[in-house]
Amino acid sequence: MKKVLVILLIVLVSATSVFAVDFNYQDAAYLSAMGAPFTKTSARVAAMGGAGLAVFNNQDSLYLNPASLGGKGLVFNLPNAAFTLYNIKTGYVDSGIFDQLLDDPGKFTDTDFLMDNVLGGVLDMLGTAGRNRIATVDAGIGFKAGRFALGIDTQVNLNTYLPVGSGTTDIQLVPQVDVAATAGLGFRFFRDNAINFDVGVSAQLNIRAFMQAFDAQTLISAFTNSEDDSNILDSVLGGQPVAIGWALPLSFGINVNFPFGFTISSTLSNVHLIKGGYNYVVQENYEAFTDDPLHAILSPFTEDTQFTVKSGMMLNLGFGWSPDLGGFEWIIDPTVAIDLVDINGLVKDWSTTNLLARVRAGVELQLFKAFELRAGLNGGYVSVGAGVNLFNVIHLEASYYWNEFGDVLGEKDVDALTIRMNIGWER
């Protein structure tokens, strides 16, 4: 049993995201996590440098630009799942962990190897002060029927933060869970004209839970030194308070579609009409979830809000080009996308560096409607990806890209690998 728990711990630490401070919700770093918009992981968008506002993404349009739902279609994702692992180069390739696991797959169940090498390597790669990200896990279901789309998604994160001047034993962990239900509707006007336009709106109910930060070394020691696994989680996590909150953000979008496959888009996203953000209540500890889960989930709606974390809206602009190749799209179908995100933030703090940080650009090449090649730039960081669509039922995608986790562009770049799978159908 202990070996299983150790492996689950490593999966957890290798399957989640980043911050940590005490439960002082007024701390700036904590606020950025507690008020960040829910973002569903898209391997396609990640590989294209984060661009895609003006590119028709079928089900993913629900999260990027609801106006793109105006194009009719039928899509089922039952389910879709994505796993993102960060710090690939420093944490797993340079350390030799990947090579060892490939040479001897039996090491996946070797507790000593997992604890000494994998988990140790994960902690070592977080040795730079500030925030980082280990991994993110997404799972959801969704469908698009005509102009309407609905998605229900979960996302599990383990946020980490290392204070300035501290060692790896001081790394703090903050478990986080998001559950989001998103519905959107789009319409196309002047459909038969050379120039037409789409408008759309989406609404999302996001329930988010944070556990107060706890020391990573404490949890690791509990797993490695205890002879009795039954009370490990209770002893380590039992006293940690939990903040659970909710938000109801809206997004609005518009596309202007021109001849030859050109589209210009604009979105106003993360518009909070209720108190401007996430409304939290605090439970004494996580046992509230296990003792009375229904009350714990409903508490942010039924109890007085203890604090609200503001979450600002964003104005974005996108350009897309999917040329009409006269019936040869089944052989080769190229797409180009360029986005400028958070224009209102750029206006408040205008600089060339700030402009570069907000530019996303990417290209995609579909071959025979089955194979996909992608590349992009996100604030100057390179991204690449590929996908395969098997019989229009199983869709597998992989993306490798870089993120900025510092306060300014170029301060702390972190690489990531996303693997996503959809089982469904679309037309």
Side-chain angles (χ1 to χ4, degrees), residues 41-45 47 60 81-83 364 372 374 385-389 394-399 417-422:
T41 302
S42 170
R44 182 191 190 195
V45 172
D60 283 351
F83 176 74
E364 177 186 66
E372 303 150 348
R374 303 174 181 128
V388 58
N389 193 346
I394 300 175
H395 196 184
L396 303 174
E397 301 170 280
S399 305
L417 174 67
T418 290
I419 297 175
R420 176 171 167 171
M421 179 185 70
N422 292 359

Side-chain angles (χ1 to χ4, degrees), residues 13 45 67 91 95 122 152 176 189 237 252 383 401:
V13 172
V45 172
S95 65
V122 169
I152 300 176
Q176 173 190 349
F189 297 90
L237 307 180
F252 305 90
S383 60
Y401 50 100

Side-chain angles (χ1 to χ4, degrees), residues 96-125:
I97 291 175
F98 274 167
D99 290 336
Q100 295 181 65
L101 291 173
L102 290 175
D103 291 341
D104 184 5
K107 291 184 180 295
F108 278 104
T109 58
D110 185 336
T111 302
D112 293 334
F113 174 80
L114 294 175
M115 293 303 300
D116 295 340
N117 293 275
V118 178
L119 189 55
V122 169
L123 293 179
D124 287 343
M125 73 187 176

Side-chain angles (χ1 to χ4, degrees), residues 137-371:
V137 176
D138 292 77
I141 59 175
F143 74 91
K144 176 180 183 290
R147 302 173 178 87
F148 174 78
L150 174 67
I152 300 176
D153 302 279
T154 61
Q155 188 177 87
V156 180
N157 292 282
L158 182 63
N159 300 320
T160 75
Y161 182 81
L162 180 63
V164 176
S166 303
T168 55
T169 56
D170 299 310
I171 293 173
Q172 301 291 299
L173 308 179
V174 184
Q176 173 190 349
V177 177
D178 281 85
V179 178
T182 311
L185 188 64
F187 294 94
R188 173 164 294 180
F189 297 90
F190 308 110
R191 181 179 297 273
D192 297 327
N193 291 7
I195 299 177
N196 55 68
F197 68 93
D198 311 311
V199 296
V201 60
S202 66
Q204 180 182 93
L205 175 61
N206 185 195
I207 302 175
R208 173 173 292 171
F210 276 89
M211 181 176 288
Q212 179 172 302
F214 59 89
D215 183 81
Q217 192 60 44
T218 301
L219 186 59
I220 294 170
S221 298
F223 272 89
T224 55
N225 298 328
S226 175
E227 296 297 332
D228 181 8
D229 306 317
S230 60
N231 296 317
I232 288 179
L233 291 180
D234 287 340
S235 62
V236 175
L237 307 180
Q240 301 295 326
V242 176
I244 180 170
W246 66 278
L248 188 63
L250 305 179
S251 294
F252 305 90
I254 184 170
N255 299 327
V256 182
N257 306 305
F258 298 92
F260 308 109
F262 291 101
T263 298
I264 296 177
S265 302
S266 181
T267 63
L268 183 64
S269 61
N270 203 42
V271 180
H272 291 264
L273 302 181
I274 301 176
K275 296 185 179 181
Y278 286 80
N279 308 286
Y280 285 94
V281 299
V282 178
Q283 302 285 346
E284 183 177 354
N285 53 53
Y286 90 103
E287 290 180 353
F289 289 94
T290 58
D291 293 342
D292 192 355
L294 181 61
H295 172 263
I297 293 172
L298 295 178
S299 60
F301 303 98
T302 58
E303 299 177 10
D304 292 336
T305 299
Q306 292 177 250
F307 62 88
T308 297
V309 179
K310 300 296 183 180
S311 185
M313 65 181 182
M314 293 190 297
L315 177 64
N316 313 294
L317 182 65
F319 167 82
W321 181 43
S322 297
D324 184 354
L325 299 182
F328 289 94
E329 287 86 356
W330 69 274
I331 299 177
I332 182 171
D333 189 7
T335 298
V336 177
I338 302 174
D339 292 351
L340 179 62
V341 301
D342 193 17
I343 297 174
N344 46 324
L346 177 62
V347 172
K348 293 178 181 178
D349 183 18
W350 173 263
S351 69
T352 302
T353 301
N354 206 10
L355 173 62
L356 179 61
R358 286 168 165 74
V359 174
R360 317 278 190 261
V363 295
E364 177 186 66
L365 191 63
Q366 290 191 8
L367 303 172
F368 304 104
K369 294 296 184 182
F371 305 100

Side-chain angles (χ1 to χ4, degrees), residues 85-98 125 400 402 414-417:
L85 187 64
Y86 296 80
N87 299 277
I88 298 295
K89 185 177 184 299
T90 57
Y92 303 99
V93 176
D94 293 347
S95 65
I97 291 175
F98 274 167
M125 73 187 176
Y400 180 71
W402 296 79
V414 176
D415 61 333
L417 174 67

